[in-house]
């Protein structure tokens, strides 16, 4: 089913994605690509939703469509890099980063560069970038997230826990942070600390034994 209403078309795409109707999703992506009524901001909003739900290929296509209409949008370029990394297309991620060389001091670009370097195993360089970002702004949530992920990946669970706790101070109701902290506590065999009520708020997840 297709529609001349751009908002309905976007809603249909998201619904088909949630139901696993891959062929219909990509058919609607073709419709959206040619639909003059779909604004870049709508494409990005839908791509963000698809990315959060781990539908990375449709999200990638929508980010690319949005960039075709607004090629200089650095926010969308950075989202494109992150999606390439999620899809393990490191050459494409590196190429997009190279195109942003003149913006290498931008916080968003540095975050994506650190995320890319973590993914390709250049951990010392990624760590240095996260540290420099946090020196500039200790509450930089994305840098905390990236650093915590890096520390978890190298099994430095104690320091990862510290980073996740710091992140929860800035975003106490973020379920992703709670889940990551719980996983880190489990890795440390601190089961009593990791088990919390699904409705727990704030730092209750971080209660120590």
């Amino acid at each position: 089913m297709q529609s001349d209403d751009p908002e309905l078309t976007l809603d249909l795409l998201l619904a088909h994605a949630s139901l696993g109707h891959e062929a219909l999703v990509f058919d609607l992506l073709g419709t959206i690509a040619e639909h003059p009524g779909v604004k870049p901001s709508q494409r990005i909003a839908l791509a963000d939703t698809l990315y959060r739900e781990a539908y990375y290929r449709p999200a990638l296509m929508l980010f690319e469509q949005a960039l075709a209409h607004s090629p200089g949008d650095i926010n969308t370029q950075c989202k494109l890099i992150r999606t390439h990394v999620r899809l393990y297309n490191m050459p494409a991620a590196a190429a997009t980063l190279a195109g942003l060389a003149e913006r290498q001091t931008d916080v968003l670009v540095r975050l994506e560069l650190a995320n890319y370097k973590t993914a390709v195993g250049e951990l010392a360089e990624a760590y240095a970038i996260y540290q420099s970002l946090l020196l500039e702004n200790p509450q930089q949530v994305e840098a905390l997230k990236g650093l915590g992920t890096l520390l978890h990946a190298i099994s430095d669970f104690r320091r990862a826990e510290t980073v996740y706790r710091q992140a929860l101070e800035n975003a106490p109701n973020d379920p992703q942070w709670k889940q990551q902290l719980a996983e880190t506590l489990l890795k440390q065999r601190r089961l009593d600390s990791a088990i919390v009520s699904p409705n727990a708020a704030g730092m209750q997840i971080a209660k120590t034994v």
Side-chain angles (χ1 to χ4, degrees), residues 45-63:
L46 178 58
D48 287 340
T49 301
L50 290 168
Y51 183 94
R52 284 194 299 272
E53 298 297 324
Y55 304 121
Y56 299 122
R57 292 192 184 282
L60 179 72
M61 293 181 67
L62 284 165
F63 286 137

Side-chain angles (χ1 to χ4, degrees), residues 130-193:
Y130 287 131
Q131 286 291 86
S132 68
L133 286 164
L134 290 169
L135 281 173
E136 295 169 12
N137 179 8
Q139 281 76 47
Q140 169 49 257
V141 174
E142 289 301 316
L144 287 168
K145 177 181 177 181
L147 180 59
T149 300
L150 187 158
L151 292 169
H152 189 98
I154 63 174
S155 300
D156 192 343
F157 301 122
R158 176 65 69 177
R159 293 176 67 197
E161 176 192 347
T162 299
V163 171
Y164 291 145
R165 288 183 186 278
Q166 184 178 348
L168 277 167
E169 290 178 1
N170 297 306
N173 296 314
D174 189 315
Q176 183 180 21
W177 287 117
K178 294 180 182 181
Q179 179 64 32
Q180 289 175 311
L181 177 58
E183 291 176 3
T184 301
L185 292 168
L186 285 172
K187 290 291 187 179
Q188 298 176 70
R189 301 184 184 278
R190 293 163 61 190
L191 183 62
D192 290 343
S193 298

